[in-house]
Amino acid sequence: MKGTYIFLADGFEISEALTTVNMLRRGGINVKTVSIYDDRIVTSSNRIPVVADMAFGEFRASTSFGLCLPSDVMIFPGGMPGSSNLAAFKKLMDIMVQHYEEGGTVAAICAAPSVVLTLLPNIEGKKMTCYDGFEQALADKGAQYVKEGVVVDGNMITGRGPGWAQEFGLTILAHVKGQEVADKVKAGLML
């Protein structure tokens, strides 16, 4: 899968999703929001409707699939039941597994590292973080839980929760476009 996409399911954490999109677009990444449904409207965990850039069918029809680069990123915001809804969508999870196995990057924050990324076939030994209380799912898959705001391990980026959404987005930006671009965005935000 070529490009950068953030996937939205009903019950997603709006601050994690839209803050990440904001950081990436400020840095010049044409990140697209994708509803996992047949229409573009997705409702956040706080009952705020959001119009995604594309519905899942549009994503499938317009996206180039094939060998991935580390700069190709699939992003999964947290929130419940948003993370569970993402994990239950087999078509998306199959794409995620293929994307990751081909060298693409996966990024997840809050509950999503534990609920979504644990569906990857081999995360044993990977350093990951997640929302407090979701650590056991990582341990059960052999991942190494690290109690930090954002953790990068190869082509996997994980964030702890909503309070880390800016840093999560900036870390993805640095991963794709370099630290200098991320620092420029950060300075522009007076962080």
Side-chain angles (χ1 to χ4, degrees):
M1 183 205 78
K2 301 294 183 188
T4 301
Y5 298 89
I6 186 163
F7 297 90
L8 306 178
D10 287 340
F12 74 96
E13 172 53 53
I14 197 164
S15 63
E16 294 166 355
L18 298 185
T19 299
T20 301
V21 169
N22 185 27
M23 297 300 107
L24 297 176
R25 288 188 180 170
R26 283 175 181 268
I29 294 176
N30 186 25
V31 58
K32 298 288 187 189
T33 56
V34 180
S35 162
I36 68 165
Y37 307 111
D38 292 333
D39 74 40
R40 295 180 180 192
I41 298 174
V42 188
T43 303
S44 77
S45 59
N46 298 6
R47 298 172 307 284
I48 301 168
V50 172
V51 180
D53 295 318
M54 57 182 64
F56 192 75
E58 294 170 300
F59 161 74
R60 290 292 303 260
S62 66
T63 302
S64 173
F65 292 89
L67 291 179
C68 302
L69 298 172
S71 57
D72 298 317
V73 187
M74 293 181 76
I75 305 167
F76 305 97
M80 291 299 277
S83 295
S84 295
N85 289 336
L86 289 170
F89 189 45
K90 186 173 180 344
K91 289 179 184 177
L92 177 60
M93 294 300 96
D94 289 346
I95 292 169
M96 176 187 71
V97 169
Q98 180 180 356
H99 171 82
Y100 184 70
E101 288 179 341
E102 290 177 350
T105 297
V106 292
I109 187 169
C110 194
S114 297
V115 177
V116 176
L117 296 188
T118 55
L119 297 177
L120 290 167
N122 185 7
I123 61 168
E124 190 171 334
K126 283 286 192 182
K127 292 180 181 175
M128 300 172 72
T129 194
C130 63
Y131 193 78
D132 292 2
F134 283 81
E135 304 92 336
Q136 190 59 50
L138 300 179
D140 290 348
K141 291 288 283 203
Q144 180 184 347
Y145 172 72
V146 180
K147 193 171 186 172
E148 292 181 13
V150 180
V151 175
V152 179
D153 190 340
N155 59 338
M156 181 181 289
I157 301 168
T158 53
R160 193 160 166 213
W164 291 95
Q166 280 185 320
E167 191 64 33
F168 178 71
L170 289 168
T171 301
I172 297 168
L173 178 59
H175 179 80
V176 175
K177 295 200 83 173
Q179 191 62 49
E180 186 177 328
V181 173
D183 288 344
K184 185 176 180 182
V185 169
K186 191 173 182 176
L189 293 167
M190 299 191 289
L191 294 175

